[in-house]
């Protein structure tokens, strides 16, 4: 029986190193993948068999070690994506404020142009330069 366990432990080591022979590279480390890598059938490693207790502990430890870096990278990626989304939101808010101010300025310029046109129609007399027609005493 120890030879069988050696086959399983060698298969586990190949999976940990990322150089499997019987399963595709990048296969998740599980009891079934170790048994397939060892050249056995799926499900041959069972928790109910006491001979496999050390092997199952080693497989569980390797699986935790395998998923830990991935989780760290995924959490970093999620954090950076959230930060990028936050800054994109701030940027879009700033653009909305700027566009609002541009529209307000445009509306004010149009209103001023209308008022200026109304003032220069000739219906309103400028108070700065009095007309000679309106002030005859000054001409004498």
């Amino acid at each position: 029986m120890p030879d069988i366990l050696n086959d399983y432990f060698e298969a586990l080591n190949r999976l940990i190193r990322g150089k499997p022979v019987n399963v595709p590279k990048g296969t998740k480390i599980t009891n079934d993948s170790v048994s397939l890598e060892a050249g056995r059938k799926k499900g041959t490693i069972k928790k109910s068999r006491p001979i496999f207790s050390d092997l199952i502990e080693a497989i569980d430890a390797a699986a935790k070690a395998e998923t830990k870096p991935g989780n760290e990278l995924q959490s970093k990626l999620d954090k950076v994506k959230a930060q990028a989304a936050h800054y994109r939101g701030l940027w879009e808010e700033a653009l909305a404020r700027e566009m609002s101010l541009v529209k307000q300025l445009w509306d004010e310029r149009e209103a001023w142009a209308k008022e200026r046109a109304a003032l220069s129609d000739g219906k309103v007399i400028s108070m700065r330069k009095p007309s000679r027609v309106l002030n005859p005493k000054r001409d004498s």
Side-chain angles (χ1 to χ4, degrees), residues 1-16 19-24 27-45 52 55 59:
M1 282 284 214
D3 293 334
I4 293 172
L5 285 178
N6 285 338
D7 291 342
Y8 285 115
F9 277 107
E10 288 174 6
L12 177 60
N13 287 332
R14 286 195 300 270
L15 286 172
I16 291 171
K19 299 188 181 211
V21 176
N22 297 322
V23 295
T27 302
K28 189 175 177 182
I29 298 176
T30 61
N31 292 352
D32 290 337
S33 64
V34 172
S35 60
L36 290 173
E37 178 61 24
R40 305 294 195 288
K41 289 183 181 178
K42 195 175 187 180
T44 56
I45 301 173
F52 292 124
L55 178 64
I59 291 172

Side-chain angles (χ1 to χ4, degrees), residues 106-119:
W106 184 266
D107 292 344
E108 292 294 327
R109 287 182 76 185
E110 285 183 345
W112 173 246
K114 286 179 184 176
E115 285 183 33
R116 188 173 178 198
L119 288 174

Side-chain angles (χ1 to χ4, degrees), residues 2-138:
D3 293 334
I4 293 172
L5 285 178
N6 285 338
D7 291 342
Y8 285 115
F9 277 107
E10 288 174 6
L12 177 60
N13 287 332
R14 286 195 300 270
L15 286 172
I16 291 171
R17 287 192 316 253
K19 299 188 181 211
V21 176
N22 297 322
V23 295
K25 188 174 182 179
T27 302
K28 189 175 177 182
I29 298 176
T30 61
N31 292 352
D32 290 337
S33 64
V34 172
S35 60
L36 290 173
E37 178 61 24
R40 305 294 195 288
K41 289 183 181 178
K42 195 175 187 180
T44 56
I45 301 173
K46 298 188 183 221
K47 292 181 182 179
S48 61
R49 296 179 184 159
I51 193 167
F52 292 124
S53 62
D54 292 336
L55 178 64
I56 291 172
E57 288 177 18
I59 291 172
D60 290 341
K64 285 180 184 176
E66 176 186 49
T67 57
K68 190 174 180 180
N71 287 342
E72 288 178 10
L73 291 177
Q74 186 64 38
S75 65
K76 283 183 181 179
L77 179 64
D78 291 341
K79 184 186 257 186
V80 169
K81 281 184 178 181
Q83 190 178 19
H86 173 71
Y87 285 122
R88 182 178 180 93
L90 291 175
W91 175 68
E92 288 174 352
E93 289 173 7
L95 283 178
R97 281 192 307 272
E98 293 295 321
M99 289 304 298
S100 175
L101 289 172
V102 167
K103 182 173 180 346
Q104 183 181 359
L105 180 61
W106 184 266
D107 292 344
E108 292 294 327
R109 287 182 76 185
E110 285 183 345
W112 173 246
K114 286 179 184 176
E115 285 183 33
R116 188 173 178 198
L119 288 174
S120 63
D121 267 353
K123 296 179 183 176
V124 178
I125 299 171
S126 175
M127 296 183 78
R128 287 190 174 171
K129 290 185 176 181
S131 172
R132 290 182 184 242
V133 177
L134 292 177
N135 197 354
K137 291 183 183 178
R138 193 171 181 199

